[in-house]
Structures are given as C-alpha cells and as structure tokens.
Amino acid sequence: MAINPKRRFVDLSIFLENDVLSDPPPLAPKITYQTHDETVHEFVQMLPGTTPEDFPDGEAAAAEWVTCTTHSGTHLDAPYHFHSTQDAKLGEKKPSMTIDQVPLEWCFQQGVKLDFRHLPDGHVVTAKEVEEELKRIGHELQPLDIVVVNTRAGSRYGNNDYVNAGCGMGYEATMYLLERGVRLTGTDAWSWDAPFSYTAERIRETGDKSLIWEGHKAGRDIGYCHLEKLHNLEALPATGFMISCFPHKIRGASAGWTRAVAIFDEE
C-alpha cells in the first residue's frame, strides 16, 4: 500500500505528567522516574553473573512507575463506564461493553468538529444547538462519524480552573448524535457532561435528579464511547480529516488510555 508523503498528523492528546493538574487532586496521576544508573542493580538480578561494572558507562535502562486510573490523561470511555447495561432503546438491553470489547472500527473514522467555544462554562448543549452547528459547517452526519466537541476548556488546560471549564453535552444532544449512527464522540473538557459544580447547582435549584451525568447515561439507551481530555481541537477544521483513537486493551476495564490523533491526507 502506497504511503501518502503529504499525510499530516495533529496530536489531540494531553501529556500524562506530574506537574500539570488535569484531574481533581485525588485522581491525579503520579509518575516516578528511574534513571539509567538507578536500574543497574535490577538488571544485575535479572542477569545472574553480571556486575554493575559490566554495564557500559554504568548504565542500564531508564524506566518509569506510573500510578493512575484508566481515566487519567486522554482516554476513551467504554459503555461500561456509564452504566452496567446498554442499548435499551434499540430493543434489547444487554450488558455494557468494556474497553477491550469496543469494536476497533469505531476508533478510526472520519472526524467532525463542533465548535462550542463560545458557550459559557457549565452550559448544557441541546440537540437544537448540535443541529444548528452541523448546519453551519455544512455537514450531514454519517454512521460512525467521530464527533469531537471543542469547548472553552481546551484553552484552560494547565490552569487551575480546567476541571470546571467548558460546556457539556446533555442527554438530548448526545442522543441526537447516537440516533444518527455516531458511536464515538469526544471533548477537550474534563468530562463529556457539564462540570460537576454546575450540575450540582442545577440539581439544588430544580430538584431534577435526571441531570446527574445525563450525557454519560445516554449510553444506557444506545451504547457509545467518548474521548475525554482531548487537546488542540482548535487546530482542526470542521471536517476533512480522520481520527485515530485506539484504546489500550485492558481486560474488563471501563476505559483505556489513547494517543488520539487527527490525520490529514492532503493533495
């Protein structure tokens, strides 16, 4: 197969790192770095008969120990994360897929970007707003399109207000996409839903408990996946690119880390 020499890649992933807070503090990843000289004694144990002096310049291998959740960094959530069952509105409620069961074809498809950076933090996007944005960019959704949402949160990554920044996708907006064959979506915000601080305030004001994680819970009715903590979405046009976001294959897990990228095959 010929390789397009003009193929261009745009990184859509954040770093997994110690010093930039991209989660509430209790969920932050922790990376412990080992230098080449610090692992020599481990190698000596794995290679009986060797001594530290046998290694060139006294160096073995650099390595890292990482403590994190499957939702650290840029990751893909499986339907199992949202609820124990899925597809109730497709006529057969069934056990939700875990990340190792997600169809690979969902994870490499044409990308569509919805630009909601103008919407205020905490705003819950409606189906009408999705429809209007699709009309503005002149795109008719196709089955398995990967739809990513560019919010104000993308510009706040690395700042203390990142977790509470950006709009969220409500139940009806999510269902609008799923009912048209979309099975994988994404956001540059911490969560697909509006930030918890705003949701909690709305629940106090209205008493409406259906607001709890409403975008995620759409997965009960039609199973889907979404990417969270994407980055650099402002560099993308509305259409004209592929997205690759294959998740790490963790048995029975609710999510998997991914190096999400946009791919442009330019003329």
Side-chain angles (χ1 to χ4, degrees), residues 13-201:
S13 306
I14 65 170
F15 287 96
L16 193 66
E17 56 186 328
N18 288 324
D19 299 327
V20 175
L21 197 63
S22 58
D23 293 289
L27 300 178
K30 180 181 179 182
I31 308 170
T32 301
Y33 292 86
Q34 290 181 291
T35 60
H36 301 83
D37 59 317
E38 291 172 336
T39 62
V40 170
H41 290 287
E42 296 175 10
F43 271 67
V44 167
Q45 291 177 358
M46 293 186 289
L47 293 168
T50 63
T51 68
E53 291 73 25
D54 295 328
F55 289 81
D57 300 321
E59 294 187 356
E64 297 76 41
W65 291 87
V66 181
T67 302
C68 63
T69 78
T70 53
H71 302 268
S72 297
T74 303
H75 64 277
L76 184 69
D77 285 338
Y80 182 67
H81 178 52
F82 316 144
H83 206 74
S84 61
T85 59
Q86 65 176 70
D87 293 349
K89 285 199 171 179
L90 296 182
E92 182 185 359
K93 184 169 71 171
K94 56 190 178 185
S96 291
M97 287 186 290
T98 53
I99 199 66
D100 51 317
Q101 298 169 329
V102 170
L104 294 180
E105 58 266 27
W106 288 13
C107 306
F108 185 65
Q109 294 290 339
Q110 296 287 341
V112 180
K113 185 187 82 168
L114 307 181
D115 192 345
F116 291 143
R117 286 176 290 176
H118 60 285
L119 296 176
D121 296 344
H123 177 82
V124 178
V125 176
T126 66
K128 185 174 186 295
E129 288 169 319
V130 172
E131 187 174 44
E132 289 174 347
E133 175 65 1
L134 287 167
K135 183 178 179 180
R136 184 188 72 82
I137 65 176
H139 182 75
E140 182 177 345
L141 288 174
Q142 301 299 311
L144 298 187
D145 277 353
I146 295 178
V147 179
V148 295
V149 178
N150 195 180
T151 78
R152 197 184 83 85
S155 67
R156 302 308 301 159
Y157 174 68
N159 294 277
N160 291 336
D161 61 343
Y162 170 69
V163 171
N164 287 308
C167 62
M169 298 292 282
Y171 174 84
E172 65 171 57
T174 305
M175 289 299 292
Y176 182 94
L177 299 173
L178 304 184
E179 288 168 349
R180 286 156 179 80
V182 172
R183 290 296 178 268
L184 198 151
T185 66
T187 179
D188 53 9
W190 183 73
S191 173
W192 179 248
D193 275 272
F196 281 158
S197 58
Y198 293 94
T199 302
E201 184 178 348

